[in-house]
Amino acid sequence: MTSSDIKTLAICVALVAALALLPDATLYLALIAFSVMLVLPKGRAFLKTLGFRQQDNWLKTIGLAVAGWAAVMAVQTIVANLFPNVFLQEGGGVFADVEGNTPLFLYSVLSGIVIGGFVEEMLFRGYLLTRLIRIFGDNKATTFAIVLATSLIFAFIHVYQGAAAVVLTGIFSFVVGLIFVRTNYNLWLVILIHSLFNIVTFTTLYLGIA
């Protein structure tokens, strides 16, 4: 392990520790701040190492994003049907106030795209997952373990949303992580999947059909 790898691993550990220790109210502000500090000093070349790259065909990428969203929904539905007791909570949980509330709905969608789509994907998939794979290797077993580990961390930061949300976000993160790896680390694709997932989720909550 090189000195650069050790430094990168230290940053990953610091990120995970911050996610574990920060209270809910400041967690997402910290994620945004960490993203800014991570990216701004390094510029465009660094963004490419996270998976921000030119798309050959944006329509194809959007189509793949829709397919990825459908895959996430399918897996979540299967798990929910297999373990119904985990999902007894009805309504929108901590987001119940979104129903019929247009300003809150618009704010939730915007934050779901900016924080969920961009910030979370950039940190969890673009940085944390790729750096751990670079350090520990990219064989199938190691990659699977890293995708699983980062998904558990991702699920943990959503614990304030309740047990059902932890399970669902863990599933979401795992499926999206696999898609990210299988598409040669295409960060734009998983950003679109995450954004679409949040848009659909908040729309169903707003309309009262969740």
Side-chain angles (χ1 to χ4, degrees), residues 66-80 168 171-172 175 196-197 200-201 204:
V66 173
W69 167 80
V72 170
M73 295 300 295
V75 176
Q76 287 184 337
T77 300
I78 291 171
V79 173
L168 292 175
I171 293 169
F172 169 88
V175 175
L196 177 60
F197 181 88
V200 173
T201 298
T204 57

